[in-house]
Amino acid sequence: MHLSLRQIRIFEAVAQHQSYTRAAEKLHMTQPAVSMQIKQLEEDSGLALFERQGKRMCLTQTGHDLLHHASQVLQAYNDLLVAMEERKGVKGGHLIVSVATTANYFVTQLLAEFSRLHEGINVTLDVTNRHMLLDQLENHEPDMVIMGEPPKGYNLQSERLMENPLVMIAAPDHPFARQQATLTLDEVLSERFIIREKGSGTRSAIERHIQNFNKTCGSTLEMRSNETIKHAVEAGLGLGIVSLHTIQPELESGRLTTLNVEHFPIRRYWHIVMRKGKRLSPIAQEFKRFVMQEAPRFVQAWA
């Protein structure tokens, strides 16, 4: 039988997402095309790889056994690409970086500086949410990811990059903005909060922090990006909790202000995350070194 790399990628994606539709979205294909490829793979191999359980496409035992080998093939293919990149050294090559939405504010500026130092490289930058970052790591897509602390059990390795404090923000004309004394949690939690959607790493960190003090947010308004949160807070719709690294322009222009609240800021950290055993090309190694060296100093200049 003839087995293509494309079919292996499709098989792994359906196994991971347990859905033709979600796998198709991930691979930028149509759902019928994914379904057809899996059907063709099963017919050519004479093996039943999936079985439908309700709305989910679940691996059979045979499918489970073969998934490990499929992942090894994709890893070997990525290693081949890295070996080819190594022949180019740091003067060329392709760098693929994915970052959490809130890291975009400083990573884009770091990438701009890095690109000026290495003019012959090509860069792909994807800015997305935590869920998609984990999907990309599972599929061996980026060289590295810059995000908050990764979860356990995903076969990942990470290095702490720098501090990422979460601060409470308000419009400059909010009554709390004029208060000199430290605000209590009870005082601020009586207000409406503009927060990220469920599944966001920032929201999870905020909820865990508040629950540590046996508190909960009362009234909330969900939004899917930090930009919309900042605009909503600026318009007076409520308070927000965001990364300090995302609000420098607004603080400098006076459009937002940070509040002095007990138990704040929330201490978090950015991490550089990769698949365990990931082999980095020379340009990816150089970028990692550059980020580890420059990012803390870069952000410190904002303080």
Side-chain angles (χ1 to χ4, degrees):
M1 62 173 289
H2 173 71
L3 181 62
S4 69
L5 190 65
R6 183 167 182 256
Q7 284 177 308
I8 296 174
R9 288 194 187 281
I10 292 171
F11 168 63
E12 187 185 56
V14 175
Q16 179 187 353
H17 295 291
Q18 298 186 328
S19 164
Y20 288 147
T21 301
R22 287 194 61 199
E25 292 172 354
K26 179 64 182 175
L27 298 169
H28 306 292
M29 297 173 62
T30 64
Q31 187 270 346
V34 168
S35 176
M36 182 183 68
Q37 287 289 336
I38 293 297
K39 182 179 179 182
Q40 188 67 51
L41 179 58
E42 291 184 319
E43 289 179 354
D44 289 348
S45 66
L47 300 171
L49 303 175
F50 293 93
E51 57 184 1
R52 183 173 290 280
Q53 295 182 6
K55 294 183 178 181
R56 299 185 303 154
M57 295 301 300
C58 297
L59 286 167
T60 61
Q61 186 57 54
T62 298
H64 274 292
D65 294 341
L66 296 180
L67 179 61
H68 170 69
H69 298 290
S71 296
Q72 285 186 320
V73 169
L74 294 175
Q75 182 61 61
Y77 174 72
N78 287 332
D79 288 345
L80 172 62
L81 295 180
V82 170
M84 296 170 70
E85 293 290 339
E86 286 176 348
R87 301 303 184 270
K88 301 176 183 177
V90 297
K91 294 184 178 179
H94 188 190
L95 176 65
I96 305 175
V97 180
S98 293
V99 303
T101 307
T102 47
N104 181 42
Y105 298 87
F106 71 89
V107 173
T108 49
Q109 297 187 53
L110 284 169
L111 267 174
E113 180 62 26
F114 186 75
S115 296
R116 283 192 287 270
L117 296 173
H118 303 277
E119 295 182 352
I121 67 169
N122 294 311
V123 178
T124 297
L125 173 65
D126 188 23
V127 182
T128 187
N129 61 32
R130 182 179 177 86
H131 177 74
M132 290 303 298
L133 291 175
L134 294 175
D135 279 356
Q136 291 178 6
L137 286 163
E138 183 72 20
N139 292 327
H140 310 270
E141 294 175 21
D143 290 316
M144 67 194 73
V145 162
I146 297 177
M147 62 185 295
E149 185 172 358
K152 308 297 183 185
Y154 275 75
N155 198 32
L156 303 174
Q157 62 186 50
S158 70
E159 293 181 55
R160 185 179 286 184
L161 176 58
M162 63 182 185
E163 194 172 9
N164 173 31
L166 300 182
V167 296
M168 197 172 296
I169 58 172
D173 59 353
H174 191 284
F176 285 166
R178 297 187 291 273
Q179 190 162 323
Q180 298 298 316
T182 300
L183 295 159
T184 67
L185 273 182
D186 286 332
E187 285 179 297
V188 296
L189 291 178
S190 65
E191 298 283 310
R192 178 164 61 182
F193 273 82
I194 319 299
I195 59 174
R196 287 288 300 273
E197 76 283 3
K198 287 186 180 296
S200 158
T202 300
R203 175 166 174 169
S204 297
I206 293 168
E207 289 176 340
R208 286 195 305 269
H209 182 73
I210 292 174
Q211 286 167 5
N212 285 338
F213 302 98
N214 297 316
K215 309 288 185 182
T216 57
C217 288
S219 175
T220 60
L221 179 61
E222 285 189 17
M223 296 195 172
R224 295 188 62 83
S225 75
N226 282 281
E227 285 302 309
T228 51
I229 288 176
K230 291 191 293 183
H231 290 316
V233 172
E234 185 180 343
L237 287 176
L239 305 179
I241 302 174
V242 298
S243 168
L244 180 62
H245 301 153
T246 68
I247 56 172
Q248 296 306 313
E250 290 81 8
L251 293 179
E252 291 171 2
S253 64
R255 289 179 286 146
L256 291 173
T257 187
T258 58
L259 299 180
N260 180 18
V261 181
E262 65 173 349
H263 309 306
F264 273 80
I266 302 173
R267 300 296 178 185
R268 297 186 75 211
Y269 295 88
W270 294 117
H271 291 75
I272 293 181
V273 185
M274 299 177 293
R275 284 289 297 259
K276 277 186 179 176
K278 176 72 174 179
R279 182 179 175 184
L280 292 179
S281 67
I283 197 63
Q285 292 177 34
E286 179 65 15
F287 179 69
K288 181 184 174 185
R289 183 202 63 76
F290 175 82
V291 170
M292 294 292 290
Q293 176 180 305
E294 298 296 327
R297 187 165 58 196
F298 188 90
V299 173
Q300 197 174 49
W302 291 354

